[in-house]
């Protein structure tokens, strides 16, 4: 999979891909992540990227030309399965969306700043708009990292069996059950007997029941 990320602040996104699982995915060639500094497409001597909104109002708007030029340069080089604009106005990211995106080859992510981007960028290029939750970030960069992380970890070969994505929260529509490791007792708190029993059928039943219990308590909406 190839992910191209367009941003005013690409340096903000470097470290998540330079550590641990994402780093290994990139090193193994399972994921390619390319950053594109929008400033290089800015207008005039000062490489201007934003301007005041028509009709007035607070905040600046990212101009159409720099984004259009950057996006067009990329789309002339390869076909993109999705051109995604990260915005609070988008559909809320969930595991189903991550699963769907993880079987695509080329994704482009556009990070907005200020009040957002000129509507014509969306009309011309954007195929999908995604939000990472009902709150507003200073820009789309951290949202792009969240989206890329959720997708890259699902690519075949990125996680090993022990880290398998198949047992994640949400993959079966349920939150994960409690988990324990050594010691068997800590400050009076004991690991549930069933997990020490070696009876794998019983353990699976307990895990499922706990997952249903926790999901019912915390996220009953997921059970619908
Ligand atoms: N940009 C600013 N806030 C955002 C959010 N919640 N999700 C995605 N992109 C954003």
């Amino acid at each position: 999979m190839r992910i191209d990320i367009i941003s005013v602040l690409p340096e903000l996104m470097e470290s998540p891909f330079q550590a641990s699982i994402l780093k290994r995915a990139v090193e193994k060639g399972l994921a390619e992540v390319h950053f594109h500094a929008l400033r290089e497409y800015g207008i005039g001597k000062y490489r201007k990227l934003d301007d005041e909104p028509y009709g007035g109002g607070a905040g600046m708007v990212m101009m159409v030309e720099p984004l259009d030029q950057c996006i067009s340069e990329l789309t002339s080089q390869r076909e993109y399965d999705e051109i995604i604009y990260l915005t609070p106005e988008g559909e809320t990211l969930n595991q189903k969306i991550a699963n769907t995106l993880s079987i695509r080859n080329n994704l482009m992510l556009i990070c907005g700043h200020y009040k957002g981007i000129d509507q014509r960028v969306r009309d011309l290029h954007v195929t999908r708009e995604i939000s990472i939750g009902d709150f507003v970030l200073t820009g789309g960069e951290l949202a792009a990292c969240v989206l890329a992380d959720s997708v890259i970890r699902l690519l075949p070969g990125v996680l090993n069996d022990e880290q398998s994505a198949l047992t994640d929260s949400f993959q079966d529509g349920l939150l994960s059950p409690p988990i324990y490791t050594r010691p068997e007792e800590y400050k009076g708190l004991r690991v549930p007997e069933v997990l020490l029993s070696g009876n794998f059928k019983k353990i699976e039943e307990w895990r499922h029941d706990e997952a249903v219990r926790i999901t019912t308590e915390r996220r009953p909406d997921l059970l619908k």
Side-chain angles (χ1 to χ4, degrees):
M1 164 176 287
R2 176 183 170 119
I3 304 179
D4 289 276
I5 307 182
I6 300 176
S7 159
V8 187
L9 291 169
E11 64 275 16
L12 201 64
M13 293 179 282
E14 279 161 17
S15 69
F17 302 94
Q18 288 171 353
S20 187
I21 292 171
L22 298 189
K23 178 184 180 187
R24 220 171 337 108
V26 170
E27 282 173 356
K28 280 200 213 164
L30 301 169
E32 267 181 52
V33 183
H34 298 268
F35 298 107
H36 304 277
L38 191 60
R39 188 63 65 184
E40 288 170 21
Y41 299 83
I43 296 170
K45 192 169 144 204
Y46 298 106
R47 304 226 171 256
K48 189 176 165 65
L49 293 173
D50 61 330
D51 209 335
E52 290 162 4
Y54 277 119
M60 300 292 270
V61 179
M62 286 173 71
M63 299 165 84
V64 61
E65 292 104 317
L67 276 163
D68 179 42
Q69 273 186 25
C70 182
I71 296 166
S72 299
E73 200 172 296
L74 289 169
T75 54
S76 73
Q77 291 163 10
R78 70 194 60 75
E79 241 182 73
Y80 286 86
D81 299 295
E82 297 279 12
I83 298 181
I84 299 168
Y85 173 44
L86 282 309
T87 168
E89 290 117 59
E91 55 183 326
T92 310
L93 179 62
N94 58 30
Q95 195 60 36
K96 188 163 165 237
I97 296 174
N99 288 343
T100 307
L101 295 177
S102 74
I103 54 174
R104 306 284 188 247
N105 291 319
N106 295 320
L107 301 178
M108 192 192 299
L109 308 184
I110 302 169
C111 305
H113 264 259
Y114 322 114
K115 268 286 165 199
I117 62 176
D118 189 300
Q119 178 60 34
R120 288 164 291 189
V121 179
R122 293 154 113 157
D123 297 341
L124 284 169
H125 296 291
V126 172
T127 62
R128 194 157 190 175
E129 302 197 357
I130 294 179
S131 164
I132 63 161
D134 290 342
F135 46 83
V136 179
L137 301 166
T138 53
E141 283 76 12
L142 298 180
C145 291
V146 168
L147 176 61
D149 183 301
S150 73
V151 169
I152 291 173
R153 65 189 290 285
L154 296 173
L155 300 176
V158 170
L159 298 184
N160 59 37
D161 278 351
E162 281 156 39
Q163 303 161 328
S164 171
L166 295 174
T167 56
D168 287 342
S169 274
F170 302 113
Q171 280 301 13
D172 55 5
L174 296 173
L175 302 179
S176 292
I179 50 166
Y180 299 86
T181 185
R182 277 190 278 254
E184 276 183 32
E185 186 179 330
Y186 188 71
K187 294 191 174 173
L189 298 175
R190 278 194 61 76
V191 175
E193 281 311 316
V194 61
L195 296 179
L196 310 171
S197 69
N199 182 334
F200 290 104
K201 188 162 169 285
K202 277 238 166 78
I203 291 171
E204 273 319 298
E205 275 170 21
W206 180 86
R207 285 185 170 150
H208 180 74
D209 291 348
E210 284 293 295
V212 171
R213 178 182 68 75
I214 287 169
T215 310
T216 307
E217 278 173 18
R218 298 183 186 181
R219 294 293 306 277
D221 56 298
L222 293 175
L223 297 170
K224 284 195 210 114

